[in-house]
Amino acid sequence: MAPQAAVNATTPTSDLTAPDRRQDLWATVFEASSEGIVLLDADGRVLSANRTICKACGCDAADMVDQRLDFVLVGGTPAAQAQGIWDTAGRRGRWRGEVLVTRRNGRSFPARAVLTVVRDGAGRLAHYILSCRDITDRKASGERIKFLAHHDTLTGLPNRSAAERRLREAIEQSEASGQPVAVLFIDLDRFKRVNDSLGHQTGDALLRLVAERLRLSVRETDTVSRFGGDEFVVVLNGVKGCDEASEIAVRLMDSLRAPCVVDKHDLTVSCSVGIAMFPIDATCVGELMRNADAAM
């Protein structure tokens, strides 16, 4: 009996090489894939689309059949670029890159796509296979990381490195236009008392309010940044001179002095401001910052 059992153990229960069995397996893979997959004919018309891409686009497979992909799925892609995708796939056998996939409601989402050419036994182009994956979350994360590299996490204002870069750009513009640049160094008075007596949560809320008041008190061409703690720096582009810079500083101080309610606490904010002018007080970023800080 043992030899017979051994023979039965090595006898395949199903032949995975049988055409029908193989076709069923590929159909299962096609529908179960987490990537959107579309099968197209040699003219670029949709023959079949799996559940993933249909769900992403908000349509049924029947809605896509016989439609061209110029681009049914890539409506946000310029016509010249779309043609380039087909040309590259035909020449190299495959194209890969980022596209915009258009939903039925007209909205689009970014996707990483691969368009592959399938040829018949004679080497003629027979089909295309498009696979794509939604990368909305990945792009959003990338944009968030890029934003945080140049902005303060608490207030959303540009951080120190971003402020220095913008001041450098303002100096270059000033050298071309002849209009001075002013740097305002701002420090909140007695802010530590707020943190110590009311807690850091209230202190953070106050910093966000201060940041918003400063931002609304300057021109769109100016830069308000947070250096950390309760220190803020404002870069004023193209001011007429020291008098105008002083007038803006007074306006900022008045804006901050307006009473406010933070976490149910009635607060009044005051600040100290120092001003340094390019090219009067300094001619480089570091020296301007130091002089503005000293003036404060």
Side-chain angles (χ1 to χ4, degrees), residues 97-118:
E98 185 178 319
V99 294
L100 285 175
V101 178
T102 303
R103 296 186 175 95
R104 170 180 274 180
N105 61 14
R107 296 181 179 178
S108 299
F109 64 87
R112 189 68 181 172
V114 178
L115 183 65
T116 304
V117 170
V118 179

Side-chain angles (χ1 to χ4, degrees), residues 106-170:
R107 296 181 179 178
S108 299
F109 64 87
R112 189 68 181 172
V114 178
L115 183 65
T116 304
V117 170
V118 179
R119 299 188 182 276
D120 60 20
R124 294 185 296 265
L125 194 156
H127 297 91
Y128 293 96
I129 299 175
L130 174 77
S131 62
C132 59
R133 181 183 294 273
D134 188 345
I135 57 172
T136 302
D137 291 341
R138 192 176 77 184
K139 285 183 71 70
S141 297
E143 291 299 321
R144 180 62 178 167
I145 291 172
K146 188 185 298 184
F147 178 86
L148 292 177
H150 302 287
H151 291 79
D152 172 54
T153 55
L154 177 65
T155 63
L157 293 176
N159 60 16
R160 186 187 192 106
S161 64
E164 290 176 348
R165 186 186 71 251
R166 295 188 186 185
L167 176 55
R168 194 173 296 109
E169 293 170 354

Side-chain angles (χ1 to χ4, degrees), residues 115-250:
L115 183 65
T116 304
V117 170
V118 179
R119 299 188 182 276
D120 60 20
R124 294 185 296 265
L125 194 156
H127 297 91
Y128 293 96
I129 299 175
L130 174 77
S131 62
C132 59
R133 181 183 294 273
D134 188 345
I135 57 172
T136 302
D137 291 341
R138 192 176 77 184
K139 285 183 71 70
S141 297
E143 291 299 321
R144 180 62 178 167
I145 291 172
K146 188 185 298 184
F147 178 86
L148 292 177
H150 302 287
H151 291 79
D152 172 54
T153 55
L154 177 65
T155 63
L157 293 176
N159 60 16
R160 186 187 192 106
S161 64
E164 290 176 348
R165 186 186 71 251
R166 295 188 186 185
L167 176 55
R168 194 173 296 109
E169 293 170 354
I171 289 173
E172 292 174 356
Q173 295 173 5
S174 175
E175 289 173 337
S177 67
Q179 289 186 305
V181 174
V183 177
L184 277 58
F185 213 101
I186 302 170
D187 186 83
L188 303 185
D189 298 332
R190 296 176 296 280
F191 176 74
K192 188 175 183 298
R193 292 185 185 178
V194 175
N195 273 340
D196 292 344
S197 61
L198 302 179
H200 288 278
Q201 181 175 340
T202 299
D204 288 348
L206 178 60
L207 288 173
R208 286 192 289 267
L209 183 144
V210 167
E212 183 65 8
R213 287 187 175 182
L214 291 175
R215 188 182 63 80
L216 293 175
S217 298
V218 299
R219 304 163 300 179
E220 290 185 2
T221 56
D222 301 326
T223 298
V224 178
S225 62
R226 182 185 177 218
F227 267 35
D230 60 345
E231 293 181 340
F232 296 83
V233 169
V234 180
V235 177
L236 303 176
N237 282 313
V239 292
K240 296 176 182 177
C242 298
D243 289 343
E244 184 180 13
S246 298
E247 290 172 3
I248 294 174
V250 171

Side-chain angles (χ1 to χ4, degrees), residues 3-14:
Q4 182 63 42
V7 171
N8 290 340
T10 58
T11 301
T13 56
S14 62

Side-chain angles (χ1 to χ4, degrees), residues 7-24:
V7 171
N8 290 340
T10 58
T11 301
T13 56
S14 62
D15 185 0
L16 297 181
T17 64
D20 290 344
R21 177 61 176 161
R22 199 162 61 237
Q23 186 174 348
D24 289 343

